[in-house]
Amino acid sequence: MNNLLKRSMLFPTLQILGTSRTPAALPVLSGRSALLASLLVVAGCSLAPAYKTPVAATPPAFKEAAVLTPQEAGSWKQAQPAEDIARGEWWKVFGDAQLNDYETQALAANQNLAAAAARLKESRAIQQTAKAALYPSLGTGFGPARQQLSPGSFDVFNGVGTAPQTVWTAQVNSSYEVDLFGRVASTVNAAKADTQQSEALFRSVQLALQADVAQNYFTLRQLDAELDVFNRTVELRRQALDFVQHRFNAGDVSELDLAQAKSELASARSDAMTVVRQRAASEHSLAVLLGKAPAELTVAANPLTPVDVKIPPGLPSSLLERRPDVTAAERAMAAENARIGVAKAAFFPSLTLTGVGGFESANLGSLFLWSSRTFLLGPLSGTSLNLPIFDGGLRTGNLANARAKYEEDVANYRQQVLVAFQEVEDNLANLRVLEDQTQVQDQAVQASARAAQLSRTQYEDGSVAYLEVIDNERSLLQSRLASVQLQGAQAVSTVNLIRALGGGWGDMPVAPANETDGAAASPAANPSGTAANTAVVQK
């Protein structure tokens, strides 16, 4: 085919028109029929290069993956990994009924997802349009026409004109392009790959929406936990202010201690208001994700509890089969590969079969008589085989453009693979470090709580200044806030890892959903200010 492609530039323009059936034309028609028959033999021969997914650098294992016990590995069960398998409700591994409800609402009403669904419908409609070229087109027409024929069309040149007449016609016309060198087939293949790319992009938007809802929900609960820490801090500082006020009234302390106690209480209240503002913005964002106006959604306060879901990442090679964005990039390559075939086919002849037949009469009453039948095969309607001789490099430029687009999509695909690996490694590292960091931070909370308690006792005994109490309470507040923020980061990183891995699968077992996570434990029982909620799913 490549040699034919090169020689095709030297071919003259060919055009075969069926116009006569006289005995003198029969040898010509026989030769043309033989030529058409030989061209029909190669019909459907595709010029597109044989498509094969380019090799992308794939490590044997994830560097940041932790070694899981069999019990931990059983918390995340994978079905046969493949991108075209329907995703399961992976968010149910967290065992949160409220999150489950929000995810259902988002899938039903989110407008970005609705727009992605519409784009998918557009792509399928374009594919249907491309497939129509595989079949002949048929049309019909009926109606009168007022016409006057030229005497010259009858070889009469004596100056005598013909009378105008009304002609009634009822005709059927047809047209069909024989796919000699796979131009139509390659166009259909490109449209099919475009549709598959749109399907993958739709699933990518869907997965991103699910992850965004989960992240926003956990962020909202993290802010609830921070607000709970501030509220308890405000209460403790109010009690401290009452105590200092009592001692000031008794003349045991100076006004400096009283002013410092008032300042600390006001600062805590101001910081709590900052969290209230952040929570309101987060709640509004969640409402938009659910397809609602912010005024339609009110989320009850529910402080975050630690999330402990162990997610084995599997093998890097299987990641390429699960990520919808990687599949979309691969399908884009397939589409451009098919368009190379379309560009190559332009160098070869194209064959179109057309014809018109029906009835024609000067009177409507005799229109459908057998003697009124007519047909037309000629320059305006017939069989044509043609090939442009000179186009100023148009076809050569189109072919070069198609090849360049394919090379671009190959690079984009390999880049997307690298990004996929990076996102998995990033979140694996985050979760691995966060697991140790939360334990260390819990120790810091316990130590800060003990130091604050001792400083208050010593202040009551008069052995230390009130400034010592302030420093220790500030340290305790910061430690508790850091602990809550680490728990939020752990929850969000877990969601990000699931998204980076391509989501879940349909037969994935889930944790039982809890209607509520329970009230936060007291600071003494749990210095971090939250109660543990472990959602580990067993096989």
Side-chain angles (χ1 to χ4, degrees):
M1 284 300 176
N2 291 331
N3 293 331
L4 288 175
L5 179 61
K6 295 176 181 177
R7 291 199 297 267
S8 67
M9 298 296 295
L10 304 177
F11 290 169
T13 300
L14 302 177
Q15 188 173 30
I16 301 173
L17 302 172
T19 57
S20 174
R21 292 192 178 185
T22 61
L26 289 178
V28 177
L29 290 176
S30 298
R32 292 170 178 171
S33 299
L35 177 59
L36 291 176
S38 63
L39 290 172
L40 291 174
V41 171
V42 298
C45 178
S46 177
L47 298 177
Y51 178 72
K52 184 178 180 181
T53 304
V55 177
T58 304
F62 290 109
K63 179 180 70 173
E64 301 291 347
V67 179
L68 302 180
T69 65
Q71 292 77 15
E72 292 173 333
S75 67
W76 185 265
K77 181 181 178 182
Q78 298 174 359
Q80 299 176 354
E83 203 287 321
D84 56 354
I85 294 179
R87 271 21 180 194
E89 298 175 331
W90 53 263
W91 54 88
K92 290 188 175 180
V93 298
F94 297 106
D96 192 307
Q98 187 65 66
L99 175 60
N100 298 345
D101 181 56
Y102 287 154
E103 292 285 358
T104 302
Q105 293 182 41
L107 292 177
N110 181 267
Q111 296 307 303
N112 287 335
L113 186 62
R119 289 192 294 270
L120 177 56
K121 291 180 181 178
E122 294 172 10
S123 183
R124 288 173 175 170
I126 294 174
Q127 181 185 1
Q128 182 180 358
T129 302
K131 290 179 66 176
L134 295 173
Y135 306 96
S137 62
L138 296 175
T140 185
F142 171 79
R146 186 71 174 172
Q147 64 180 4
Q148 180 177 4
L149 298 178
S150 168
S153 62
F154 300 100
D155 290 333
V156 176
F157 302 99
N158 54 9
V160 179
T162 59
Q165 60 179 345
T166 299
V167 179
W168 290 84
T169 58
Q171 296 178 337
V172 174
N173 57 77
S174 64
S175 176
Y176 176 66
E177 178 182 352
V178 181
D179 195 15
L180 293 179
F181 297 97
R183 186 193 71 82
V184 176
S186 295
T187 301
V188 172
N189 291 337
K192 180 180 179 181
D194 285 338
T195 300
Q196 293 171 340
Q197 179 190 13
S198 295
E199 292 172 350
L201 290 175
F202 171 77
R203 287 190 288 268
S204 181
V205 172
Q206 187 179 55
L207 177 60
L209 171 63
Q210 295 167 350
D212 287 344
V213 170
Q215 290 176 357
N216 203 296
Y217 174 73
F218 284 127
T219 299
L220 193 62
R221 293 188 57 190
Q222 172 192 328
L223 294 173
D224 285 339
E226 291 184 22
L227 193 57
D228 183 66
V229 171
F230 276 115
N231 289 337
R232 288 188 283 108
T233 300
V234 167
E235 178 60 23
L236 290 175
R237 292 186 179 179
R238 187 189 62 79
Q239 295 175 6
L241 176 59
D242 292 341
F243 177 75
V244 174
Q245 182 72 53
H246 177 74
R247 295 193 65 183
F248 173 76
N249 294 338
D252 295 336
V253 295
S254 67
E255 187 179 356
L256 175 61
D257 289 355
L258 180 62
Q260 289 175 333
K262 290 180 179 180
S263 174
E264 290 301 305
L265 176 59
S267 296
R269 286 174 174 171
S270 177
D271 292 340
M273 293 176 184
T274 300
V275 177
V276 170
R277 288 191 296 104
Q278 294 173 346
R279 187 189 189 281
S282 182
E283 186 180 71
H284 300 163
S285 298
L286 180 60
V288 173
L289 290 174
L290 302 185
K292 298 180 178 181
E296 299 179 88
L297 179 67
T298 300
V299 182
N302 184 14
L304 178 67
T305 55
V307 173
D308 186 17
V309 179
K310 304 298 182 180
I311 303 175
L315 297 176
S317 58
S318 65
L319 176 65
L320 305 184
E321 301 174 350
R322 303 197 301 252
R323 293 262 305 211
D325 54 345
V326 173
T327 298
E330 186 273 329
R331 288 291 83 197
M333 283 191 305
E336 293 304 330
N337 184 80
R339 291 189 176 95
I340 293 177
V342 176
K344 284 184 176 181
F347 288 90
F348 293 88
S350 63
L351 176 62
T352 303
L353 308 177
T354 59
V356 176
F359 299 91
E360 184 177 278
S361 176
N363 299 310
L364 180 60
S366 60
L367 178 61
F368 293 101
L369 295 179
W370 184 247
S371 59
S372 299
R373 67 188 185 277
T374 182
F375 71 92
L376 176 62
L377 295 174
L380 299 180
S381 182
T383 303
S384 65
L385 176 69
N386 57 74
L387 170 71
I389 295 178
F390 177 74
D391 58 11
L394 175 64
R395 291 170 295 167
T396 302
N398 287 339
L399 178 58
N401 180 60
R403 286 172 170 164
K405 286 185 175 180
Y406 174 75
E407 293 173 359
E408 177 186 2
D409 284 336
V410 169
N412 289 337
Y413 168 75
R414 287 173 172 160
Q415 178 65 22
Q416 194 62 47
V417 170
L418 294 176
V419 170
F421 290 146
Q422 177 193 356
E423 290 178 353
V424 174
E425 296 282 12
D426 287 348
N427 288 286
L428 286 173
N430 285 342
L431 289 173
R432 177 174 55 79
V433 175
L434 282 170
E435 184 176 5
D436 297 333
Q437 189 176 2
T438 52
Q439 296 177 3
V440 174
Q441 187 61 36
D442 287 342
Q443 297 173 5
V445 171
Q446 294 175 7
S448 297
R450 179 59 177 166
Q453 180 182 6
L454 291 175
S455 64
R456 284 194 298 269
T457 302
Q458 293 177 3
Y459 175 74
E460 293 172 0
D461 294 340
S463 58
V464 296
Y466 190 68
L467 183 60
E468 189 75 20
V469 176
I470 292 175
D471 289 340
N472 284 285
E473 287 185 347
R474 286 177 180 174
S475 177
L476 175 59
L477 174 60
Q478 295 303 318
S479 296
R480 284 177 173 171
L481 288 176
S483 179
V484 170
Q485 291 166 358
L486 287 175
Q487 292 170 8
Q490 194 171 30
V492 170
S493 293
T494 302
V495 173
N496 281 335
L497 178 58
I498 296 174
R499 170 158 52 179
L501 292 172
W505 286 266
D507 64 345
M508 181 185 65
V510 299
N514 298 323
E515 294 298 330
T516 61
D517 291 309
S522 64
N526 187 355
S528 64
T530 56
N533 177 32
T534 303
V536 178
V537 187
Q538 299 298 329
K539 283 186 179 179

